[in-house]
Amino acid sequence: MTAADTVLRHDDAPYPDAFTRAEVGWTPHLAPLAEEDLTPRHLDGLVDAARAKNEYFRLLARDPEVLRARTLVDKDIFYNTAEGLPRAERELAATAASRRNGCVFCASVHSRFAAHHGKRPEDVDALLAEGVDADLGERWNAIVAAAVALTDTPRVFGAAHIARLRAAGLDDLEIADVVHGAAFFNWANRLMLSLGRPVAPA
């Protein structure tokens, strides 16, 4: 079997024409596992059984131990909000990284969460439409700037970004959450962008 036999093409699936909070689809370049072929090992890797319906996670389930570790990190960064940064601003960091990287799918998902939890849909829409230089107010601007620096290359992120975050009111744990959200989505974006492509909302 050649690569040409295993690579999936979706020429009839339209690309999104802009960043959006609407539900963007995603289609894989490589065949995911079929839902009926998932073993207990694969399901353990998925962590959440409902993810068996999702082609992206069924593709990642080809390496279930790595997927399990990835999923637990994801859930801890974005859902463990008893302390640290509010959920909206964790999602903002993910949105900023995704906007900078050009990952329309990830930006759509996390911008919806940022808008919902932050109750600031107009600011989130400005980030999507205008890019990472949009003026969102100093606290959100500082978070976006830090996420963008980490996205461009980690060594660009430094003391000035930390000082700006502290001046905007973030403590050390909250700053760590900005780093976690942006860093995770630098990785997640690259998976999404290399393993498949976005599909325009229906």
Side-chain angles (χ1 to χ4, degrees), residues 9-29:
R9 294 187 61 87
H10 304 280
D11 296 330
D12 57 343
Y15 280 85
D17 59 9
F19 286 89
T20 176
R21 283 192 288 124
E23 291 196 23
V24 171
W26 183 85
T27 189
H29 294 318

Side-chain angles (χ1 to χ4, degrees), residues 137-170:
E138 179 51 24
R139 183 179 171 99
W140 276 27
N141 287 348
I143 292 170
V144 169
V148 167
L150 286 161
T151 299
D152 286 346
T153 182
R155 65 183 179 184
V156 171
F157 176 82
H161 296 96
I162 293 171
R164 185 177 181 186
L165 289 165
R166 284 195 178 124
L170 280 71

Side-chain angles (χ1 to χ4, degrees), residues 12 19 27 45 70 92 111 132 141 195 200:
D12 57 343
F19 286 89
T27 189
R70 172 230 179 269
L92 177 67
S111 65
V132 296
N141 287 348
L195 296 177

Side-chain angles (χ1 to χ4, degrees), residues 61-159:
R62 289 185 176 279
D63 193 342
E65 287 74 28
V66 170
L67 174 58
R68 179 175 176 78
R70 172 230 179 269
T71 301
L72 293 174
V73 169
D74 179 13
K75 287 180 175 290
D76 196 42
I77 290 171
F78 292 98
Y79 295 95
N80 185 7
T81 56
E83 298 179 296
L85 205 63
R87 173 77 182 276
E89 293 175 341
R90 298 174 192 223
E91 300 290 352
L92 177 67
T95 303
S98 301
R99 181 64 175 84
R100 184 66 157 192
N101 278 328
C103 190
V104 177
F105 179 87
C106 291
S108 74
V109 172
H110 294 279
S111 65
R112 286 197 300 277
F113 285 129
H116 170 74
H117 291 287
K119 312 300 183 192
R120 294 171 57 178
E122 297 84 1
D123 286 329
V124 173
D125 287 345
L127 173 60
L128 294 175
E130 300 171 27
V132 296
D133 293 324
D135 185 3
L136 312 178
E138 179 51 24
R139 183 179 171 99
W140 276 27
N141 287 348
I143 292 170
V144 169
V148 167
L150 286 161
T151 299
D152 286 346
T153 182
R155 65 183 179 184
V156 171
F157 176 82

Side-chain angles (χ1 to χ4, degrees), residues 184-201:
F184 186 88
F185 267 85
N186 270 290
W187 179 44
N189 294 160
R190 282 158 175 77
L191 285 174
M192 299 297 298
L193 292 166
S194 61
L195 296 177
R197 71 167 180 82
V199 177

